[in-house]
Amino acid sequence: MTLRVPSNDNIGRLSGRVMLQLRDDLDTAPESQNWRALSAILREPYVFKQQEIERFAMQIYSNGSPANQLLLSLGGRGMTVKELVHYLDQLKLEKILREFKNYEPIEIQEQPESLQKLYAGEKLVVFVRATGFPYPRYQWFKGDTRIDRATESMLTINNVKEKDSGDYICRLHNSADNNQVKFSDYGSIRVYPKSLVLEKADIPMEIGHPPAVYPAEEEECFLPVITGHPRNSYVFNGHSFILLCEAKGRQPMRYRWFNEDKFYKESHIPYFQVDNATPHDSGRYTCTVINDFGQAVSIPAVIMVANEPQPHAGSLPQIIQQPVSCQVPLGSPAMFVCEGCGQQPLQYQWFQDGFPIPGATLSQLALPQVQREAVLHCQVSNRWGRACSNTVFLRIQITSPMPHTVGGYSATDKVALLIGNYNYRCEISLKAPKTDIQILSDIFRRLDFKVVSLLNLTLNEMKAAVDAFCELLGDGVYSVFYFCGHGFEEKGHCYFVPEDAQTDFKETDCLSANSVLDSLQRKKPKICTMILDICRKKNKNGPPVEETVSVAPRANSEGNSCICYATCAGMAAYEIGESGILVKHLQKYLSQPMKIEDVFSCMRHDIGKEELVKGKQIPEVITNILQPGRSFTDQIAYRNGWTEAFNRRQIAWEHAHKVPASVTILACKDLGIVLELEFQSIFSNVLHVFVTVKDKGQTEECIAWIARIPTTVSVADQPTIVTEGKTRNSIQDIQKLKNDLEITLSVKYRVKSKVEPHILYPDKVNLGMPLVAQLRLWEPRNAKSSLREPTEQAEEVDATNGSHSM
């Protein structure tokens, strides 16, 4: 943000005209924007005691100005123009800010939800978030029709009706120049009669195909009930963040926000935004929703604003390359590798069957002659703490004439879709999905499966991922679908909870396991395996189950299905630490030359002996495979014209897993600093970027990392120093990208003649659309044609002045 006046000047040096206007605006502004509001948001060293605030207020009795006294005191404490602008920005005092800020074009930060399904009488909320200066003006449209008085960033209809169904879009502008007008994406709204409650998992996408229904009574909600809790966020200094607390109940409702249990602000809208965030905005935020009948308190959301985003080397060590299981003949050598990062020096210790291996203190474990099977893991430690790798298995390969393909079968191809949701908005966050997805990805890749592994998907993204995955299926293909996260079962049907589900989610807000099976079976694969690592308890938000309601049959089967449930109906599935019980035992058998049904039988047997969950988690397997000799280890055969189809699937899979090519950057020509960017992907929607200083040039010390990324994606962790001059940066939510991924690097260096380090920001680096971004999973599958842009309204805005169960 560039200012019209020197940003580091004391506010006491502002011109008399600006100070008079500022004084008058703060004295006469509404309560939410006046001088008291400014004093309430100040942070140290500008915080005043209540007695001082009241002394300022006494000025009105002597024809003085409280705002003037406040500004003089702030100048006396050393407040700069830049700091003052930051606080005025929070109060949205646009008129006076035009004296300080230049024009900033609109940038849409958050688009309306692509599809919402509601019953008549519910509350509709459509929301768009944008930045720019002057602040954006909003106008909502339904189709091409302008909605009267819909001129806020949030469109609310308290008592929605069927006639409100349609496609909504928002027009934004902050200038009289029509070229600066921006339009949001469509938000499709589908409203269904209040007297109907769905029996199936999904509301039909088109009116005219009525769902199977049964009558039900809907209770009116009086007390506030929070349906969507605020979410944790990690942002860089100078960026913005938004906190949203969604609730239902009798209106009117008030939203009272607290930071670290201290009152922060109160409003009648369920969200607030902080622009140009600083480390002072970090904290633990909660929201209390209040109406005439009572109140409800949200789950805390932790906001972390990094003062200067830079790599950390003083935290716990991290594992950046996990060891993998292997199978070798008796007497043959075996090699395991575990790579960690963190502050040096790092110490390694390998363990076999839970006991340390003497002398095994390197990142590599070499076993010259394997004599017996073993369970191994590696511990990486430094003075800050320690981290343990995944558990891996050393197996002895059977050298008898037993064929690799247990029953003499082969596949035309093998594909696997693995989805793990753990960062939930409405439920307790989970730890196991990320680890379990990585373990299964490694195993299936070694078995020559084309693996698609995705973390934290919304409902629309899950549906789109299944649709895209089905394009890899066909005659003779082995398919595996795995989901790990929160789930439930209603009337014999299992449902997967998306990461963006609200607190009172129902079947229609989740992905039906039967719909996934039906989609897979339509492609007629040779083997269709589903592994459902979820709880099978009833949904606490669902309507009472009527025993007379018949259960719809499962999708048509071709005698090729095997469905593995982590637990029985009515029971929970558990995780212990960062590992799920199911995968803990399943991984031991997946890569063995065993029948598919035997793999799950052995897994079930082992879980039955697990003392921690004995009697609490009992896996269930339903299978009708007509060729039970088939195995996950069956080889891929190229014959009978299948090669062309295999190559087509290979190209499609590679297209969705393409990482950017390594690139060398001259970060600073004067100093001769040269950087190299390398890329790696463990999951299909998480990109790891390694930034290496290849040439320090004239500097004595130099390190670089990613400082800024688009708001549509997020950082998985803070940048981490791997080795001297090399950092690891993780970018997640790649599937949400709508435009090219552009990153800004930060280079911190120290020249020999200087004591203090300096930071420079080279030009942005365009990484294109990596990994699954090219699949556009965020896009509704029934994409609409583009809107005829409505004529811009005339409005004068001067652009130049302005142990949990899953």
Side-chain angles (χ1 to χ4, degrees), residues 530-700:
M530 293 183 68
I531 306 172
L532 313 184
D533 202 351
I534 61 172
C535 289
R536 294 178 67 187
K537 293 184 176 181
K538 293 180 180 179
N539 180 18
K540 60 181 180 296
N541 304 311
V545 178
E546 295 187 3
E547 298 298 334
T548 58
V549 177
S550 61
V551 176
R554 287 192 169 87
N556 293 332
S557 177
E558 303 292 329
N560 62 351
S561 302
C562 184
I563 304 175
C564 173
Y565 299 91
T567 190
C568 290
M571 302 182 75
Y574 290 88
E575 59 178 20
I576 298 177
E578 297 186 358
S579 173
I581 292 293
L582 179 76
V583 172
K584 174 185 176 182
H585 296 284
L586 181 61
Q587 63 176 314
K588 295 183 286 187
Y589 303 104
L590 280 174
S591 57
Q592 296 297 306
M594 301 169 59
K595 299 175 183 178
I596 292 175
E597 295 174 347
D598 291 346
V599 168
F600 295 115
S601 295
C602 292
M603 173 272 298
R604 192 169 57 222
H605 177 266
D606 286 2
I607 292 180
K609 297 189 296 182
E610 180 76 59
E611 290 295 333
L612 292 174
V613 295
K614 183 175 290 187
K616 299 179 182 178
Q617 178 175 346
I618 304 174
E620 181 179 358
V621 179
I622 300 175
T623 178
N624 63 4
I625 297 178
L626 296 179
Q627 296 173 326
R630 292 191 178 271
S631 169
F632 291 123
T633 62
D634 289 347
Q635 295 177 342
I636 298 174
Y638 308 94
R639 63 177 185 273
N640 299 335
W642 289 342
T643 304
E644 181 180 350
F646 176 86
N647 291 336
R648 185 177 66 251
R649 286 189 291 268
Q650 183 69 25
I651 292 172
W653 181 86
E654 290 177 353
H655 176 74
H657 290 80
K658 185 177 181 181
V659 298
S662 299
V663 60
T664 301
I665 299 171
L666 180 59
C668 181
K669 184 177 180 180
D670 294 340
L671 295 174
I673 301 174
V674 179
L675 307 178
E676 181 183 50
L677 272 63
E678 301 172 290
F679 306 91
Q680 182 187 69
S681 170
I682 297 176
F683 305 103
S684 303
N685 62 341
V686 180
L687 182 67
H688 299 299
V689 185
F690 293 89
V691 184
T692 305
V693 179
K694 300 296 289 185
D695 190 341
K696 294 192 296 186
Q698 301 175 29
T699 67
E700 186 176 276

Side-chain angles (χ1 to χ4, degrees), residues 667-794:
C668 181
K669 184 177 180 180
D670 294 340
L671 295 174
I673 301 174
V674 179
L675 307 178
E676 181 183 50
L677 272 63
E678 301 172 290
F679 306 91
Q680 182 187 69
S681 170
I682 297 176
F683 305 103
S684 303
N685 62 341
V686 180
L687 182 67
H688 299 299
V689 185
F690 293 89
V691 184
T692 305
V693 179
K694 300 296 289 185
D695 190 341
K696 294 192 296 186
Q698 301 175 29
T699 67
E700 186 176 276
E701 299 175 9
C702 189
I703 192 74
W705 63 92
I706 294 178
R708 290 192 172 95
I709 57 177
T711 55
T712 48
V713 296
S714 59
V715 291
D717 298 293
Q718 285 185 269
T720 304
I721 297 175
V722 179
T723 57
E724 183 179 357
K726 183 175 184 177
T727 63
R728 176 177 181 260
N729 308 258
S730 300
I731 304 175
Q732 61 188 4
D733 298 325
I734 295 295
Q735 79 281 0
K736 299 184 186 299
L737 279 173
K738 298 183 179 180
N739 300 299
D740 286 356
L741 175 59
E742 291 188 334
I743 62 174
T744 299
L745 298 173
S746 181
V747 183
K748 186 176 182 179
Y749 66 93
R750 190 194 308 271
V751 294
K752 296 180 180 178
S753 59
K754 301 289 183 180
V755 176
E756 294 297 322
H758 297 273
I759 293 180
L760 63 88
Y761 300 93
D763 293 337
K764 288 183 177 181
V765 182
N766 190 318
L767 304 181
M769 297 284 279
L771 303 175
V772 296
Q774 303 182 57
L775 298 181
R776 301 172 71 86
L777 298 183
W778 53 267
E779 192 173 59
R781 297 297 96 174
N782 56 333
K784 310 281 191 308
S785 60
S786 59
L787 171 76
R788 296 194 313 272
E789 295 186 355
T791 303
E792 170 66 12
Q793 287 182 311

Side-chain angles (χ1 to χ4, degrees), residues 183-203:
F183 287 88
S184 72
D185 290 345
Y186 278 110
S188 294
I189 307 300
R190 298 290 179 264
V191 182
Y192 295 89
K194 181 177 180 180
S195 60
L196 301 180
V197 178
L198 292 182
E199 176 184 322
K200 305 294 187 205
D202 295 309
I203 295 176

Side-chain angles (χ1 to χ4, degrees), residues 138-139 141 146 151 171 173 175 178 790-795:
Y138 303 88
Q139 177 61 62
F141 291 80
R146 187 177 67 186
T151 56
R171 185 191 66 205
H173 71 280
S175 166
N178 285 344
T791 303
E792 170 66 12
Q793 287 182 311
E795 181 177 344

Side-chain angles (χ1 to χ4, degrees), residues 124-137:
L124 167 65
V125 177
V126 189
F127 172 75
V128 63
R129 182 168 68 90
T131 59
F133 188 83
Y135 301 120
R137 273 64 170 168

Side-chain angles (χ1 to χ4, degrees), residues 319 321-324 335-339 350 362-365 378 389:
I319 307 293
Q321 181 179 344
Q322 297 282 358
V324 295
M335 174 72 74
F336 297 89
V337 178
C338 175
E339 183 179 353
W350 288 88
L362 301 176
S363 61
Q364 297 181 345
L365 174 64
C378 182
S389 72

